[in-house]
Amino acid sequence: MSILVTGGAGFIGSNFVLDWLAQSDEPVVNLDALTYAGNLRNLASLQGDARHVFVQGDICDRALVDRLLATHRPRAIVHFAAESHVDRSIHGPGAFMRTNIDGTFTLLEAARGFWSTLEGADKAAFRFHHVSTDEVYGSLSPAAPAFTETHPYEPNSPYSASKAASDHLVRAWHHTYGMPVVTTNCSNNYGPYHFPEKLIPLMIVNALAGKPLPVYGDGQQVRDWLYVKDHCSAIRAVLERGRLGETYNVGGWNEQANIDIVKIVCALLDELRPDPAGPYARLITYVTDRPGHDRRYAIDARKIERELGWRPAETFASGIRKTVEWYLARGDWVAEVQSGSYRDWVAQNYGGRATGA
Ligand code: NAD
Ligand code: DAU
């Protein structure tokens, strides 16, 4: 028995693989193209571990996916691989359409072909778990109730539109072909191995370097933050016990405005690594807003709690402290990431933005 994970060298995927192999001996075949976001250093502790089979390759490569399925005969596919950064999708949407839509289509077709060769208990047990996002639901007004699984799809960015399209494909493959799928729509994750172009790791890394902390617009956009290991436990619960064809929203019951997140990170750094030059919050710099910036996301995670008994284990206070401590201890990881294409990205995304209130 094994599972096939796609995108297992990225932020959430690598946390999932590490947690999976810490809790079970069931092997993981990890298919990842190693884009800028894929980092095998995240999985360094698995070097020489026969339970982890890493394959560098593209989910759009049907022949490769067919070969992997035929060779390893996994009991499930957990599909993380995606282009995941909203700002990058605004600068260059093409890669998002290719990986998130064509890639999911290719995987679904390969999985359908493999699943149709299975029989009896193996066929009944097979699962295709699609990992998706709350962004497919669009933006909430301040007083609106949180997203439930029946909220209309109203994606607003090229990223969220491509993820919405992939969700629709997964749904259609269940309804038309009877494919045994489950989908999770999760809120913003944070934690170890988070690529430092996303809000929380960017703020930690920039603060430690004495660089500006760029807050888009007025900083009052609200996100619902979940510690990444809680996302991983939710995926395991849905994979094992979720009802076929269902979607489950996953969130941290933790809505926060961006500016408050940045101030919390600054206060933790003031405590754990004080800067002789003064409080880190002095580095906060308001910059031009993200085009089409969604104002608020909030997840109603009652369905997964009611049906599967899942709730996040971390509070935001405990999770963000662990996260800041992790980045303080892992300057080596940050330095390696920064020596790569990360630097070009900073120039591309922030170079053209005006600063000011
Ligand atoms: P990430 O960008 O950190 O990692 C994506 C991984 O996919 C990388 O390792 C990359 O190399 C790989 N990849 C990209 N294109 C590929 C291709 N064509 N073939 C094979 N591999 C490819 O992303 P993440 O933040 O870990 O997100 C993982 C999944 O979870 C995504 O599907 C994302 O939409 C979803 N999600 C993310 C969040 C979040 O807060 N980060 C929240 C909810 C849902
Ligand atoms: O909601 C789930 C989504 O969360 C996932 O589907 C995405 O893959 C993931 O990247 C994340 O998307 P966001 O756009 O919410 O994350 P990001 O870290 O890019 O930004 C978080 C908020 O912080 C957002 O409102 C934009 C703002 N921001 C971000 C950056 C990078 C800033 O104010 N300044 C910044 O420099």
Side-chain angles (χ1 to χ4, degrees):
M1 299 263 266
S2 64
I3 61 166
L4 173 66
V5 167
T6 71
F11 163 47
I12 304 171
S14 60
N15 276 283
F16 180 83
V17 171
L18 291 169
D19 284 4
W20 182 272
L21 292 176
Q23 298 183 26
S24 119
D25 278 333
E26 186 174 9
V28 174
V29 180
N30 182 354
L31 172 62
D32 194 298
L34 295 183
T35 68
Y36 78 94
N39 186 346
L40 276 182
R41 293 288 295 162
N42 302 3
L43 301 165
S45 62
L46 297 177
Q47 215 160 12
D49 189 329
R51 299 172 306 162
H52 179 233
V53 178
F54 181 77
V55 179
Q56 182 172 3
D58 194 325
I59 57 166
C60 300
D61 182 344
R62 173 70 191 268
L64 171 63
V65 179
D66 281 345
R67 217 163 45 242
L68 288 177
L69 292 173
T71 305
H72 297 281
R73 306 189 64 75
R75 71 171 172 96
I77 298 174
V78 186
H79 176 33
F80 293 95
E83 289 291 338
S84 71
H85 190 175
V86 174
D87 291 315
R88 283 185 187 257
S89 82
I90 295 166
H91 286 278
F96 288 71
M97 305 306 133
R98 182 179 176 280
T99 288
N100 300 0
I101 304 177
D102 287 352
T104 301
F105 164 67
T106 304
L107 266 185
L108 279 167
E109 277 296 81
R112 184 164 74 91
F114 173 65
W115 173 68
S116 69
T117 68
L118 300 177
E119 286 176 355
D122 288 345
K123 186 163 193 166
F126 187 79
R127 294 287 181 277
F128 185 103
H129 187 131
H130 180 54
V131 180
S132 194
T133 171
D134 59 359
E135 300 204 11
V136 298
Y137 299 125
S139 188
L140 289 168
S141 60
F147 299 129
T148 63
E149 288 78 1
T150 55
H151 195 93
Y153 271 43
E154 291 175 341
N156 290 319
S157 72
Y159 163 69
S160 55
S162 68
K163 290 296 291 188
S166 69
D167 291 9
H168 292 323
L169 294 178
V170 171
R171 175 189 162 87
W173 261 240
H174 174 69
H175 280 266
T176 300
Y177 304 114
M179 279 279 293
V181 307
V182 283
T183 296
T184 42
N185 292 88
C186 188
S187 63
N188 285 63
N189 287 212
Y190 67 98
Y193 305 114
H194 205 180
F195 197 78
E197 64 181 24
K198 305 280 178 81
L199 180 73
I200 288 179
L202 181 76
M203 295 300 144
I204 299 171
V205 167
N206 275 16
L208 291 174
K211 290 183 182 167
L213 308 180
V215 174
Y216 295 167
D218 63 4
Q220 293 301 329
Q221 300 81 10
V222 171
R223 298 290 181 268
D224 174 352
W225 293 94
L226 178 71
Y227 191 62
V228 63
K229 303 221 174 263
D230 280 326
H231 187 186
C232 296
S233 71
I235 291 171
R236 289 197 303 274
V238 172
L239 182 62
E240 299 310 331
R241 306 192 299 282
R243 286 188 290 134
L244 289 189
E246 291 290 315
T247 65
Y248 292 88
N249 283 355
V250 182
W253 298 107
N254 174 46
E255 287 185 56
Q256 307 250 17
N258 291 339
I259 187 63
D260 295 331
I261 292 285
V262 176
K263 286 179 178 167
I264 289 168
V265 167
C266 288
L268 275 167
L269 287 171
D270 287 338
E271 176 196 329
L272 297 169
R273 186 157 307 167
D275 182 350
Y280 288 102
R282 75 186 189 284
L283 300 170
I284 291 173
T285 308
Y286 289 92
V287 300
T288 308
D289 208 351
R290 171 187 280 174
H293 199 172
D294 283 338
R295 199 68 183 163
R296 173 175 169 241
Y297 305 140
I299 280 282
D300 181 333
R302 282 180 295 181
K303 178 177 173 182
I304 188 173
E305 178 169 5
R306 191 173 59 243
E307 292 192 11
L308 309 178
W310 177 89
R311 266 192 80 84
E314 298 288 343
T315 64
F316 187 66
S318 64
I320 193 68
R321 180 172 286 274
K322 282 185 185 174
T323 303
V324 171
E325 286 171 348
W326 187 90
Y327 278 88
L328 288 174
R330 291 303 308 270
D332 60 328
W333 183 88
V334 172
E336 281 188 2
V337 171
Q338 285 181 317
S339 65
S341 57
Y342 176 76
R343 287 205 185 115
D344 306 336
W345 163 245
V346 170
Q348 188 192 351
N349 191 43
Y350 297 102
R353 288 179 196 267
T355 59

